[in-house]
């Protein structure tokens, strides 16, 4: 998920602000402060993981280009969480539980207008392989994918 020019400019501003010594790199503590400044709050473990994922030269510090990779990875992770939240909300609206437990009836699925041009009955048959007439969260998630 590429960053917009506005996001890149914001990243440059934050990066420069926290590159205290002007070395062109930031270390773990500077990275955490930088991410906090752009609205993210990763744990120390996540910080070290982020650095290891993008630290191409194994310096333990990241350059601006590596920093952009961190922000892009965080943006993708946030989008995935958001997608999962939408799926859970739909599951709950149809009768499932917020902790992803429970089931929803296939009859209820048939009465909901999804606005999709698919054969819902065929999709339910493919997902509800045991013919129980119930769809659990994982089945529902697969159906919505």
């Amino acid at each position: 998920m590429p960053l917009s020019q506005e996001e890149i400019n914001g990243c440059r501003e934050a990066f420069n602000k926290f590159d205290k010594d002007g070395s062109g790199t930031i270390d773990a503590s500077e990275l955490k402060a930088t991410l906090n400044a752009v609205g993210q709050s990763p744990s120390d473990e996540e910080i070290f993981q982020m650095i290891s994922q993008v630290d191409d030269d194994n310096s333990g510090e990241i350059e601006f280009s590596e920093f952009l990779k961190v922000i892009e990875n965080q943006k993708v992770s946030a989008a995935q969480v958001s997608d999962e939240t939408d799926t859970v909300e739909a599951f709950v609206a149809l009768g499932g539980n917020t902790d992803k437990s429970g089931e929803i009836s296939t009859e209820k699925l048939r009465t909901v207008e999804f606005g999709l041009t698919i054969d819902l009955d065929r999709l339910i048959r493919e997902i509800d392989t045991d013919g129980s007439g119930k769809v659990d969260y994982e089945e529902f998630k697969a159906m919505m994918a």
Side-chain angles (χ1 to χ4, degrees), residues 44-61:
D44 289 341
E45 182 178 330
E46 289 171 322
I47 290 291
F48 288 110
Q49 186 177 23
M50 286 175 207
I51 290 175
S52 69
Q53 288 174 345
V54 299
D55 187 16
D56 296 331
D57 60 2
N58 296 318
S59 65
E61 298 179 326

Side-chain angles (χ1 to χ4, degrees), residues 7-17 24 64-65 67-68:
E7 289 171 317
I8 292 171
N9 293 343
C11 289
R12 170 61 73 187
E13 187 177 311
F15 185 89
N16 288 340
K17 181 177 179 182
F64 183 67
S65 61
F67 178 70
L68 289 179

Side-chain angles (χ1 to χ4, degrees), residues 46-137:
E46 289 171 322
I47 290 291
F48 288 110
Q49 186 177 23
M50 286 175 207
I51 290 175
S52 69
Q53 288 174 345
V54 299
D55 187 16
D56 296 331
D57 60 2
N58 296 318
S59 65
E61 298 179 326
I62 59 174
E63 291 81 31
F64 183 67
S65 61
E66 294 170 334
F67 178 70
L68 289 179
K69 289 181 195 174
V70 169
I71 298 300
E72 286 175 353
N73 292 344
Q74 285 292 100
K75 188 175 176 182
V76 167
S77 295
Q80 290 170 342
V81 167
S82 178
D83 289 347
E84 178 84 3
T85 299
D86 292 344
T87 303
V88 170
E89 287 174 357
F91 183 69
V92 170
L94 292 168
N97 300 319
T98 56
D99 65 355
K100 303 178 192 173
S101 66
E103 297 173 321
I104 54 179
S105 80
T106 54
E107 286 308 311
K108 184 152 193 165
L109 282 174
R110 286 183 178 91
T111 63
V112 174
E113 178 59 47
F114 283 99
L116 304 173
T117 56
I118 59 171
D119 181 349
L120 191 56
D121 287 325
R122 180 185 59 77
L123 185 59
I124 288 171
R125 280 193 306 275
E126 290 173 5
I127 296 299
D128 184 24
T129 55
D130 63 359
S132 67
K134 301 284 183 188
V135 175
D136 66 20
Y137 177 75

Side-chain angles (χ1 to χ4, degrees), residues 13-32:
E13 187 177 311
F15 185 89
N16 288 340
K17 181 177 179 182
F18 291 100
D19 179 16
K20 298 289 185 196
D21 60 2
S23 65
T25 64
I26 57 177
D27 62 20
S29 63
E30 291 170 324
L31 176 60
K32 187 168 189 167

